[in-house]
Every structure is written in structure tokens, then in C-alpha cells.
Amino acid sequence: MRECSSTTMASKYGGNNEMKIDKKIFRKICNVAWNIIVTLSVISLAWYFMSLFMFASFKVPTPSMVPTLLPGDYIVVNKMAYGARLFDFRKTIRHGDISRVWGFSEPKRNDVMVFNYPYTQSWDSVSFDVLRYFVKRCVALPGDTLEIVDGYYHVRGVNEELGNVEAQNRIERVTRDTTCVSRPDIAYWAAPFWHPLYHWNIRSYGPLYIPKRGDIIKLDTINAPIYKKLIEWEINSSINNEGNDFFAGGEPLGQYQWEQDYYFMAGDNALDSQDSRYWGLVPEEFIVGRTMMIWKSKDIYNGDMRWERVLSFVK
């Protein structure tokens, strides 16, 4: 009886020890799993916060910014430069649906910017597509008066080189006959295309006033061809006219006060770039941020890495 009792007691205590060891291992596994979950959650939140408020990455698909950016460059865009945007990407975005947090600086001429392309449906109307981005160089700011003279960008009262001067040297030699015969890929005429009051082209353009928030313009048959689609975007209504009188929603619209700042964007590869010369100005709300650097570069034709471009800053 005693032997039986002793064996039973030993088995009983040994079993308890095994259970205690199993519990310790289980607690360790749970702690490790919890630490992993917390770490991954913190990393995910940090990445989401950085993507939303600080930085974004984009791949350059076209040669419109050559030689500054090449097809296959992966660029880092600094959202903090002008302030990150806040909006509900699940709904159709209209003017006023986008807000911006405080930024570290104001946009400057010659900044290379990434923005949502404003003319996704047609060049006659402004629309917002959260998945469509362009990268161009800003050559004129709100309140500027821009001209293109012999292919060169000029802002009245500003003495600085704008855009890629080497490309503008080539445009200086372009003529209408040149584009039609030897270079049919070059679009010679600029917006507003073939308008009886405007014969703007890539060599002779403007003067064009870039709207600034708070400015008031007269809406007539002279200004309407240039600014009508921008005003329609701001008021979310179509504009009609009877002669020289303009109406929005049945109400007279003889003048208009701008609610938004606008920018003129140009590609560095000026002979092969769809930019503001053709489709118009970019609303401030559409700007994502300033291009900061190239973090990776891969030749789109052979897949080779272009190591000399990796981690180079964009100017």
C-alpha cells in the first residue's frame, strides 16, 4: 500500500511540474507573438503616417523630364515641403474637398513637383483622379505673368532662368514648317488652340496671367477662353454666355474672384512634353509635393540598374 501510495504521489507531483513547464513555454510564446504584433503594428502605423504626411515614392514612366529625370527613375517626393493634403479618396473630389496641413516652405519657380493631372477626361475641363500623377517643373507661380518668347520662358519682373534652357535653345530653332515636315511628333500650337484671338504656340506664348487667390478678373470673351474651365472647377457649375455676357446657374457672372492659386508646369524635355502649354494650369489643391531625390533607377529597356543615379538629388 505504501509503495503504491508513493508511486501515485510521485506521478502526481511530476505531472504538476510538467504542467508548470508547459505554462511557462506558452507564456513565452504568447509574449513573443504579442511583441511581434505590436512591433509590426507600430511599423505599419509609422509607414502609413510617413506616406500620408511626409514622403511618397513614384516611378517616372516617360521622357518628358529628360535629362533631369529618366524613364525608370524612382523618385522620393517630399510632402512636408508644401504641406500634406487631406481628403477622402473614396469619393469624387471637387474644389474645396481637399485641405492641406502646414508646410515647411512655399512653392518656388523651378521646383520639380509631382501633382495629380487635372485634365483626365478632356483638356476642356478640370477633374481629379487620385491615381493619375504627373511630374513637371514649375516655371510660373500665382500672380506671375508668363510669356514664351522665341521658345524661352519669361516671367515679367523676374530675372532668372526658368526651366531647361538647353531644351529652349532647340525650340528657338523650331518653325511651323519644321514641325509639320521633319518633326511631325512636335506639337507646335498651344492652348487655346486655333482661337481667333490667340495664336499661341511653343515659340510665342502669352502673356498669360497666372491666377492668385483673392484676385478679381473680368469675365468676358477675351478672358473666357483661358480661364473658363478653371472657374467652372471652382464653382462646380458650367458657364454659358450670350454674346459678351456670361452666366453660371442662370445668374450673371460679370467678374470672378479666385478661390485658388494656380501654377504653370513645364517639362524639361520641352520638345516632347505634354504640359501647361497644351492643357492649362494646375490648381494648388492638386500638388502632392516637391521631388527630392532619386532613390533607384532602372533602365526600362534592358533592366540594368543605373547606379550613378541612385540617391542623387533632383535640382
Side-chain angles (χ1 to χ4, degrees), residues 210-282:
I210 314 299
K212 182 180 181 180
R213 183 184 289 111
D215 284 349
I216 298 175
I217 66 163
K218 181 181 179 181
L219 189 60
D220 53 23
T221 53
I222 296 176
N223 288 328
I226 301 173
Y227 301 118
K228 176 174 173 286
K229 60 187 176 184
L230 302 178
I231 297 174
E232 288 178 332
W233 160 257
E234 289 198 357
I235 66 177
N236 192 21
S237 177
S238 59
I239 296 175
N240 303 302
N241 71 294
E242 297 177 4
N244 201 40
D245 297 323
F246 286 80
F247 302 87
E251 297 295 326
L253 190 63
Q255 64 179 21
Y256 183 74
Q257 184 172 21
W258 293 103
E259 299 178 2
Q260 180 86 183
D261 288 330
Y262 291 86
Y263 298 82
F264 190 100
M265 305 292 188
D268 281 2
N269 187 8
L271 285 176
D272 188 14
S273 174
Q274 282 192 20
D275 52 36
S276 289
R277 297 170 297 176
Y278 303 109
W279 36 254
L281 304 176
V282 176

Side-chain angles (χ1 to χ4, degrees), residues 7 13 68 107 157 260 268 283:
T7 303
Y13 291 130
T68 305
Q260 180 86 183
D268 281 2

Side-chain angles (χ1 to χ4, degrees), residues 104-116:
F104 291 109
S105 62
E106 295 292 330
K108 300 179 181 63
R109 299 179 197 89
N110 283 327
D111 281 358
V112 178
M113 300 180 180
V114 168
F115 54 91
N116 293 103

Side-chain angles (χ1 to χ4, degrees), residues 84-109:
R85 301 176 303 170
L86 301 174
F87 59 89
D88 187 349
F89 64 88
R90 297 171 297 179
K91 68 178 184 178
T92 302
I93 304 297
R94 296 299 308 172
H95 169 61
D97 292 335
I98 302 174
S99 58
R100 192 180 294 275
V101 302
W102 179 81
F104 291 109
S105 62
E106 295 292 330
K108 300 179 181 63
R109 299 179 197 89

Side-chain angles (χ1 to χ4, degrees), residues 15-305:
N16 282 344
N17 289 336
E18 289 176 3
M19 289 177 65
K20 289 180 180 178
I21 293 172
D22 290 343
K23 286 181 179 180
K24 288 181 179 179
I25 294 174
F26 179 73
R27 288 194 191 99
K28 287 183 179 179
I29 293 173
C30 289
N31 287 335
V32 171
W34 175 251
N35 289 333
I36 292 173
I37 291 172
V38 170
T39 301
L40 292 176
S41 298
V42 170
I43 293 173
S44 298
L45 287 173
W47 178 258
Y48 178 77
F49 180 85
M50 289 179 62
S51 299
L52 184 63
F53 292 103
M54 300 176 70
F55 303 103
S57 175
F58 297 92
K59 179 183 177 181
V60 178
T62 71
S64 69
M65 281 296 292
V66 170
T68 305
L69 298 174
L70 304 181
D73 283 348
Y74 290 78
I75 56 177
V76 176
V77 175
N78 183 359
K79 294 184 175 183
M80 298 181 293
Y82 315 134
R85 301 176 303 170
L86 301 174
F87 59 89
D88 187 349
F89 64 88
R90 297 171 297 179
K91 68 178 184 178
T92 302
I93 304 297
R94 296 299 308 172
H95 169 61
D97 292 335
I98 302 174
S99 58
R100 192 180 294 275
V101 302
W102 179 81
F104 291 109
S105 62
E106 295 292 330
K108 300 179 181 63
R109 299 179 197 89
N110 283 327
D111 281 358
V112 178
M113 300 180 180
V114 168
F115 54 91
N116 293 103
Y117 177 54
Y119 304 94
T120 55
Q121 299 176 4
S122 75
W123 287 356
D124 294 326
S125 62
V126 179
S127 58
F128 185 89
D129 186 346
V130 71
L131 298 178
R132 188 116 181 245
Y133 298 92
F134 271 26
V135 56
K136 304 290 181 186
R137 189 179 297 276
C138 175
V139 297
L141 302 172
D144 285 348
T145 297
L146 174 76
E147 295 180 85
I148 300 178
V149 181
D150 294 329
Y152 295 92
Y153 295 109
H154 296 277
V155 169
R156 289 184 179 177
V158 174
N159 185 23
E160 65 176 300
E161 292 183 346
L162 300 171
N164 180 11
V165 177
E166 183 179 343
Q168 294 169 59
N169 291 337
R170 294 194 294 270
I171 290 181
E172 185 183 20
R173 299 188 291 270
V174 169
T175 66
R176 180 182 175 184
D177 293 336
T178 304
T179 61
C180 293
V181 180
S182 62
R183 288 293 303 275
D185 54 312
I186 298 173
Y188 183 73
W189 298 106
F193 298 99
W194 307 292
H195 193 277
L197 295 177
Y198 300 95
H199 302 280
W200 294 354
N201 55 66
I202 60 175
R203 294 190 74 253
S204 178
Y205 183 98
L208 171 66
Y209 178 76
I210 314 299
K212 182 180 181 180
R213 183 184 289 111
D215 284 349
I216 298 175
I217 66 163
K218 181 181 179 181
L219 189 60
D220 53 23
T221 53
I222 296 176
N223 288 328
I226 301 173
Y227 301 118
K228 176 174 173 286
K229 60 187 176 184
L230 302 178
I231 297 174
E232 288 178 332
W233 160 257
E234 289 198 357
I235 66 177
N236 192 21
S237 177
S238 59
I239 296 175
N240 303 302
N241 71 294
E242 297 177 4
N244 201 40
D245 297 323
F246 286 80
F247 302 87
E251 297 295 326
L253 190 63
Q255 64 179 21
Y256 183 74
Q257 184 172 21
W258 293 103
E259 299 178 2
Q260 180 86 183
D261 288 330
Y262 291 86
Y263 298 82
F264 190 100
M265 305 292 188
D268 281 2
N269 187 8
L271 285 176
D272 188 14
S273 174
Q274 282 192 20
D275 52 36
S276 289
R277 297 170 297 176
Y278 303 109
W279 36 254
L281 304 176
V282 176
E284 184 273 337
E285 293 177 338
F286 285 59
I287 296 174
V288 177
R290 185 176 65 225
T291 304
M292 187 171 66
M293 67 182 301
I294 300 167
W295 68 272
K296 184 172 80 169
S297 184
K298 202 169 184 179
D299 193 303
I300 62 172
Y301 299 107
N302 56 28
D304 292 343
M305 284 290 293

